[in-house]
Amino acid sequence: PFNQLPEAVTKAFDNGLYAGWKVDDTYTIHRDSMAVVYKIEVEKADSDMDLYYSQYGNLIKAVADKGNEDAPIVIPNAVHNLMNLTFATCTLLDIQSNSEGYILNMLDGSIYKIAQLNKEYRWQSTSYAIPEQDVPEIIMNSFQSTGYAGDTIESIEVLLEAAGTFYTFTVNHNGQSTAIRFDALGNMVG
């Protein structure tokens, strides 16, 4: 039942994009070598959607309900190796394909991370949100010295890639959502 899902999941649903939709069914999905995922089937008018959440309320994906979304996921050996070496502290939630290759949705403790792999399962980037208090001082000082310092911070995302580590602040600037990006040394970058 919906009321037996983790509170973080029900709260995320109630505050999310699909809050006005009617809940049909809810599921707990257990897969071998993966973290538990919570699924909420919703409908509105002629649309049926399946919403997948982590135990912490992160919306992993929202897909049109076609009735066969929950088949076992075969984890390729390359992904097993990557999880054991590069993401040893993470638990896999889902693997999705996209035009660039594959997306790994993971939990690193309670932190929801998304890794982009190429078509050969080689790591390209990892991104995740961090709270303001976890932003390195050099980055926060650089942000505070911009014309955006007085704006409301909507989110802060870390992006790790071969080119380096980047911090993107999304702020409400004059009523518009604006992104400001810094490199690891605090330099504002495009």
Side-chain angles (χ1 to χ4, degrees), residues 36-140:
V36 173
V37 172
Y38 299 91
K39 175 182 168 184
I40 302 174
E41 290 181 353
V42 296
E43 67 178 36
K44 184 175 186 179
D46 290 335
S47 298
D48 292 319
M49 296 293 290
D50 292 337
L51 312 176
Y52 295 82
Y53 293 89
S54 77
Q55 70 188 41
Y56 299 106
N58 310 102
L59 180 60
I60 300 164
K61 64 182 177 181
V63 295
D65 182 3
K66 294 188 172 113
N68 62 351
E69 295 82 13
D70 301 323
I73 294 176
V74 177
I75 303 172
N77 284 336
V79 173
H80 269 297
N81 293 339
L82 198 60
M83 293 302 297
N84 290 332
L85 298 171
T86 306
F87 301 114
T89 60
C90 297
T91 308
L92 192 60
L93 291 162
D94 197 17
I95 301 173
Q96 302 174 57
S97 61
N98 67 7
S99 61
E100 297 175 40
Y102 303 92
I103 295 172
L104 303 182
N105 303 91
M106 307 172 287
L107 283 177
D108 190 352
S110 63
I111 300 170
Y112 176 64
K113 293 185 174 183
I114 301 170
Q116 176 67 55
L117 311 181
N118 68 14
K119 291 180 170 138
E120 289 78 42
Y121 297 102
R122 290 196 176 88
W123 176 83
Q124 301 297 299
S125 65
T126 303
S127 62
Y128 57 95
I130 61 170
E132 193 173 329
Q133 65 268 17
D134 291 349
V135 175
E137 186 176 351
I138 190 171
I139 305 301
M140 190 52 81

Side-chain angles (χ1 to χ4, degrees), residues 3-32:
N3 64 1
Q4 290 183 13
L5 292 172
E7 183 180 347
V9 173
T10 59
K11 186 176 178 181
F13 173 78
D14 289 340
N15 294 319
L17 183 63
Y18 298 92
W21 292 48
K22 178 184 176 277
V23 174
D24 281 339
D25 292 303
T26 59
Y27 299 90
T28 302
I29 302 172
H30 298 267
R31 292 181 170 127
D32 188 37

